[in-house]
Amino acid sequence: MSRLFLGHLGALTGDERYEWLAQAALRAVRRRVKQEESTMTSVGAFVGWGGIIYTFAHLGALWNRPALFDEAKAVVKFLPDLIKRDEEFDIMGGAAGCIAGLLSLYRCVPSQDVLSAAVMCGDRLLECAQPDGSSVGWTTQTSPTVRLAGFSHGAAGIAWSLLELSAPDGRSAVSCDSH
């Protein structure tokens, strides 16, 4: 996430060295995409493809570079199989985090493919929810016996992502234009 921080710091301060560092970090992300395209299985926001999509979408909007949106959309094409196999579910490594990245991209460049992938993530979360009286929870590979409640690894983050996905107009309070 340092690439986003540096990109925004450069934009706010006008200091070119921060943008240069953000560009260097983006080159590293691109190398990672090429190297791990066939091996990375996580779809989450912090340790997976959702975070890469989020990065491309935000930097594309910040720098007004539509080519970054295209790079993000290229990642979307190989997500469906990974989403179907997701067992983490949370913001960090699972479908909830992928929803965040996908909706970020969708808000910048609406696309049926992007929205369909986000809905597929939501469907996976709902399919794997474990009812418990009047609530639901998720166990994960990281926490196979305890249903966590927190934002990063638990029900709060999953609920937030489902709420974002359910916004009637496909947009939340945070849009592509707010950076």
Side-chain angles (χ1 to χ4, degrees), residues 129-152:
Q130 301 167 346
D132 183 15
S134 63
S135 67
V136 297
W138 292 262
T139 55
T140 66
Q141 290 176 341
T142 307
S143 179
T145 58
V146 177
R147 292 184 212 152
L148 300 175
F151 192 85
S152 296

Side-chain angles (χ1 to χ4, degrees), residues 11 20 60 86 91 177:
W20 182 87
D86 178 44
I91 294 287
D177 296 329

Side-chain angles (χ1 to χ4, degrees), residues 90-105:
D90 62 20
I91 294 287
M92 296 293 287
C98 196
I99 289 172
L102 289 164
L103 290 182
S104 178
L105 177 60

